[in-house]
Amino acid sequence: MADFLASILDIIFVAGILLALGRAVWKFFRGARPSAPGGPGRSRKEGAPQEVRHATARDPVCGMFVSTEVSHRLVEGKTVLHFCSDECLERYQNEKHKVTA
Ligand SMILES: [Zn+2]
């Protein structure tokens, strides 16, 4: 009977160690996630580049994202185009004249 009790205590003891280990591993993985390199949401937003942020717009010439606060703007009717530089703006206008002319 004493052996039986001892074996049960052994099982409980081992189970407790396994539980603690499992919890430590779980904690480790959960804790490692937010601080992972690359930042959160980077791959998630790649599907919709136009709506990454309200404060950024895509330069139609070179395709890079520019802050609408510092961009070079070109108003075309109801739409406002944002360019990273005067170079891109001029290139866009030249291309457009080429197409329409
Ligand atoms: Zn550009």
Side-chain angles (χ1 to χ4, degrees):
M1 198 59 184
D3 281 352
F4 178 69
L5 265 175
S7 63
I8 282 185
L9 280 174
D10 263 3
I11 288 167
I12 289 170
F13 181 69
V14 170
I17 288 176
L18 284 177
L19 247 169
L21 259 172
R23 226 177 274 174
V25 170
W26 177 246
K27 232 181 184 181
F28 174 78
F29 278 114
R30 282 189 68 184
R33 250 196 213 170
S35 56
R42 203 187 153 195
S43 55
R44 193 160 48 89
K45 281 177 184 166
E46 261 171 41
Q50 296 280 1
E51 293 178 359
V52 172
R53 241 173 254 166
H54 288 294
T56 57
R58 196 159 164 259
D59 184 328
V61 175
C62 66
M64 86 180 247
F65 285 93
V66 286
S67 169
T68 53
E69 285 166 45
V70 295
S71 65
H72 298 248
R73 273 166 245 184
L74 176 70
V75 181
E76 270 199 329
K78 282 175 189 173
T79 55
V80 183
L81 294 164
H82 297 270
F83 301 88
C84 69
S85 61
D86 277 329
E87 220 172 275
C88 281
L89 203 160
E90 277 168 33
R91 204 188 293 176
Y92 177 82
Q93 285 175 315
N94 289 341
E95 297 275 312
K96 213 191 146 209
H97 286 307
K98 248 188 242 169
V99 171
T100 46

